[in-house]
Amino acid sequence: MNHPAYAIKTVLETAAPVPDGRRARSVVTRSTIIKTMVELVAAGNPNPGAVEIAERSGISLRTVFRHFEEKDAILSAIDDLLVAAYQPLLVAPYHSDHWQGQLSELIDRRCAINEAAAIFRISAVMQRYSSPFVAAKYRRLYAAEKRMLDAILPEAMRTHTPPGRAILMACSFDNWRLLRQDEALSAETTVAAVKQLVGDIVQRADVR
């Protein structure tokens, strides 16, 4: 995967507002708000408010508040941009023909995306408790992560089984964040730690 900054740059470019002559001014304003929210989150603010968006974008606070009445629509647009930036890596064909090799590749991919998009995931965690829309998105993301593992793992180790649930937890964003941020491990050491955890689970389950 490209350096994490490249993925963020892709999101910002996609979110750039269209010229005034092509769409209604309100759509341009909304696009600017979306772009500004992405910039603020990428800069380390997981839950930017209307005042910060107005100051950074140059849009009046009154206008920002008016568009914030449709905040779920704005969050949905940002989610679509993030999916466009990171989904191609997740759905790319695996190089390995064996499930254990594919599982190792999936860990590499998830950790790379976590490096690039951690602040956006943390932002979603913060907002899921105040936004039913974000909470629903979060549940769908969790379900998708389970499906991707189940598409690789043998039947005896899929996520409805004890070893499968252990693998799901080992590969989770929460585990990555604990290792990468709380334990302050390097990116490479974090990947190695996740793979070791998963490898220990697989070895204990003794499924080949």
Side-chain angles (χ1 to χ4, degrees), residues 88-143:
L89 177 65
L90 284 175
V91 301
Y94 294 108
H95 297 292
S96 176
D97 293 327
H98 191 272
W99 70 267
Q100 290 191 24
Q102 293 177 359
L103 183 56
S104 178
E105 290 181 46
L106 180 61
I107 292 170
D108 286 330
R109 295 178 185 187
R110 285 193 179 178
C111 288
I113 291 173
N114 288 341
E115 287 291 328
I119 189 64
F120 292 98
R121 190 71 179 263
I122 291 169
S123 175
V125 170
M126 292 179 63
Q127 296 186 62
R128 65 184 292 199
Y129 300 107
S130 60
S131 169
F133 168 81
V134 175
K137 282 275 187 179
Y138 205 89
R139 289 192 295 271
R140 286 195 290 272
L141 174 61
Y142 179 69

Side-chain angles (χ1 to χ4, degrees), residues 103 107 110 114 149 166-173 175 194 198:
L103 183 56
I107 292 170
R110 285 193 179 178
N114 288 341
L149 277 173
I167 291 173
L168 178 66
M169 293 301 298
C171 294
S172 69
F173 174 79
N175 185 54
V194 173
V198 171

Side-chain angles (χ1 to χ4, degrees), residues 21-32:
R22 292 177 56 194
R23 292 185 184 177
R25 184 173 296 278
S26 63
V27 175
V28 176
T29 301
R30 182 170 172 271
S31 296
T32 301

Side-chain angles (χ1 to χ4, degrees), residues 48-80:
V51 173
E52 295 158 301
I53 292 170
E55 290 176 350
R56 187 180 182 101
S57 66
I59 297 173
S60 72
L61 184 59
R62 179 179 178 181
T63 300
V64 172
F65 273 125
R66 187 173 71 248
H67 282 272
F68 252 56
E69 292 177 358
E70 304 174 353
K71 190 172 183 181
D72 282 352
I74 292 173
L75 294 174
S76 178
I78 292 174
D79 183 72
D80 290 343

Side-chain angles (χ1 to χ4, degrees), residues 171-206:
C171 294
S172 69
F173 174 79
D174 290 335
N175 185 54
W176 175 89
R177 192 204 58 75
L178 184 149
L179 294 169
R180 184 74 173 96
Q181 299 181 342
D182 293 349
E183 292 293 322
L185 301 182
S186 69
E188 294 77 12
T189 304
T190 297
V191 173
V194 173
K195 288 186 176 182
Q196 181 179 350
L197 282 170
V198 171
D200 291 346
I201 297 166
V202 171
Q203 185 177 23
R204 186 179 180 85
D206 194 27

